[in-house]
């Protein structure tokens, strides 16, 4: 039994199809079948039930896959630990992060990283936040950046600079506010915004959870006129005068032109969120991953 065979079994347990796994691995299906059959013969048990469609694991196979995943993870961590002794002239840094933070938080960090470690490849992974948390706990990233809460039983957590959420309101809708405060960044009570139409993230997204929590705390049932997937789409809708939106200040401040839009600070303790750097608990970090984390924490 070797790590290559373990990887084959794990992939087959996930894809449930010999042909697809063989294509992914770049080997022939008979060669893959031979590897699995050889392993089953060595172990003296059947790992897969080949009579079902799709392929299914036997009870022994389920036990094997669970342990194999942990062994493969430990092997990867051993390699990472050895990599810490290298100069950082080569290697990969995998970061789980939202598209928003890829655009507004990481460019300066990556520029500094490449100056110190010009030979490394930095790979940004941008799945949904819940998937980032899950895959970080599985050790698939060097580290990730998400918002609290996280499962600290399986993740190590390092706080970074808090993010402020603001209300972006098209100028044409300001007359719908019961009062329009004065000032460069005036504060507004959400009760004054009850009549506004809103652009909001879809129900499955994290930003929608903040949106719903804010308005629920204020006892308001907002009218969501458009649901979108990304912050860029929400901002475009606000600029088009379709509705107001809850957005991170870092997103709308600076390079995003605010013509035709007014920003409001929100009178609520819930108008900030706490981003954190997370790693799998006890995970070994490369020298350049540690440097990236140092740069991110310095921002606070």
């Amino acid at each position: 039994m070797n790590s290559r065979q373990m990887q084959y079994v794990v992939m087959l347990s996930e894809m449930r199809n010999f042909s697809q796994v063989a294509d992914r691995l770049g080997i022939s299906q008979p060669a893959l079948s031979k590897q699995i059959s050889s392993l089953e013969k060595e172990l003296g048990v059947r790992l897969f039930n080949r009579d079902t469609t799709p392929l299914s694991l036997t009870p022994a196979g389920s036990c094997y896959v669970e342990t194999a995943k942990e062994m493969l993870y430990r092997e990867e961590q051993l390699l990472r630990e050895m990599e810490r002794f290298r100069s950082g002239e080569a290697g990969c840094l995998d970061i789980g992060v939202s598209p928003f933070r890829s655009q507004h938080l990481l460019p300066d960090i990556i520029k500094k990283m490449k100056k110190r470690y010009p030979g490394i490849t930095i790979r940004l992974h941008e799945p949904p936040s819940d998937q980032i948390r899950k895959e970080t706990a599985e050790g698939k990233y060097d580290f990730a950046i998400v918002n609290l809460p996280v499962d600290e039983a399986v993740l190590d957590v390092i706080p970074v600079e808090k993010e402020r959420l603001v209300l972006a309101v098209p100028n044409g809708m300001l007359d719908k506010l019961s009062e329009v405060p004065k000032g460069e960044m005036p504060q507004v009570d959400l009760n004054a915004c009850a009549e506004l139409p809103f652009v909001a993230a879809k129900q499955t997204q994290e930003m929608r959870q903040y949106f719903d929590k804010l308005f629920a705390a204020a006892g308001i049932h907002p009218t969501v006129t458009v649901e979108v997937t990304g912050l860029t789409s929400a901002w475009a809708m606000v600029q088009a005068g379709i509705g107001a939106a809850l957005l991170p200040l870092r997103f709308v401040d600076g390079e995003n032109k605010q013509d035709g839009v007014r920003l409001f600070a929100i009178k609520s303790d819930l108008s900030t969120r706490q981003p954190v750097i997370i790693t799998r608990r006890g995970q070994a970090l490369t020298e350049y991953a540690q440097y990236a984390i140092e740069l991110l924490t310095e921002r606070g």
Side-chain angles (χ1 to χ4, degrees), residues 162-163 210 213-214 217 266-273:
K162 286 186 177 181
E163 289 178 350
Y210 282 97
K213 189 181 296 184
L214 265 170
I266 302 167
K267 294 179 181 178
S268 172
D269 293 337
L270 301 176
S271 63
T272 59
R273 58 183 183 178

Side-chain angles (χ1 to χ4, degrees), residues 127-179:
S129 297
D130 287 345
Q131 186 177 339
I132 291 178
R133 292 181 177 89
K134 176 179 178 293
E135 292 181 343
T136 304
E138 294 171 350
K140 293 187 177 180
Y141 310 131
D142 290 271
F143 66 86
I145 309 169
V146 296
N147 299 310
L148 288 179
V150 300
D151 185 356
E152 297 189 39
V154 295
L155 296 167
D156 287 323
V157 177
I158 303 172
V160 294
E161 183 181 3
K162 286 186 177 181
E163 289 178 350
R164 186 179 181 186
L165 302 177
V166 298
L167 195 65
V169 183
N171 285 344
M173 293 183 180
L174 293 178
D175 58 349
K176 291 183 179 293
L177 295 174
S178 58
E179 293 183 18

Side-chain angles (χ1 to χ4, degrees), residues 90-158:
C92 292
L93 178 66
D94 290 280
I95 305 173
V97 65
S98 68
F100 156 60
R101 292 194 176 104
S102 287
Q103 182 180 357
H104 294 275
L105 180 61
L106 290 184
D108 289 343
I109 302 297
I110 291 174
K111 184 176 181 179
K112 293 176 181 178
M113 289 288 301
K114 295 296 291 183
K115 184 176 181 179
R116 177 175 289 196
Y117 303 106
I120 68 168
T121 299
I122 299 174
R123 299 183 295 207
L124 304 182
H125 305 266
E126 302 176 343
S129 297
D130 287 345
Q131 186 177 339
I132 291 178
R133 292 181 177 89
K134 176 179 178 293
E135 292 181 343
T136 304
E138 294 171 350
K140 293 187 177 180
Y141 310 131
D142 290 271
F143 66 86
I145 309 169
V146 296
N147 299 310
L148 288 179
V150 300
D151 185 356
E152 297 189 39
V154 295
L155 296 167
D156 287 323
V157 177
I158 303 172

Side-chain angles (χ1 to χ4, degrees), residues 179-289:
E179 293 183 18
V180 180
K182 305 291 184 181
E184 184 176 345
M185 175 67 78
Q187 280 196 329
V188 66
D189 192 305
L190 286 179
N191 288 292
C193 307
E195 300 303 316
L196 291 176
F198 284 92
V199 177
K202 293 181 179 178
Q203 291 285 350
T204 55
Q205 292 184 281
E206 197 169 57
M207 182 58 79
R208 181 59 176 268
Q209 296 170 17
Y210 282 97
F211 179 89
D212 290 342
K213 189 181 296 184
L214 265 170
F215 282 92
I220 298 170
H221 299 284
T223 299
V224 176
T225 188
V226 178
E227 288 189 344
V228 296
T229 299
L231 298 181
T232 301
S233 297
W235 179 243
M237 297 294 172
V238 175
Q239 289 185 305
I242 294 171
L246 182 70
L247 296 168
L249 178 59
R250 191 191 301 275
F251 177 81
V252 293
D253 198 20
E255 63 183 82
N256 287 306
K257 294 182 179 179
Q258 298 172 21
D259 297 341
V261 178
R262 191 164 180 194
L263 303 181
F264 293 87
I266 302 167
K267 294 179 181 178
S268 172
D269 293 337
L270 301 176
S271 63
T272 59
R273 58 183 183 178
Q274 178 63 68
V276 291
I277 298 166
I278 56 173
T279 59
R280 174 169 167 147
R281 183 167 289 281
Q283 177 171 315
L285 293 174
T286 61
E287 177 183 321
Y288 37 88

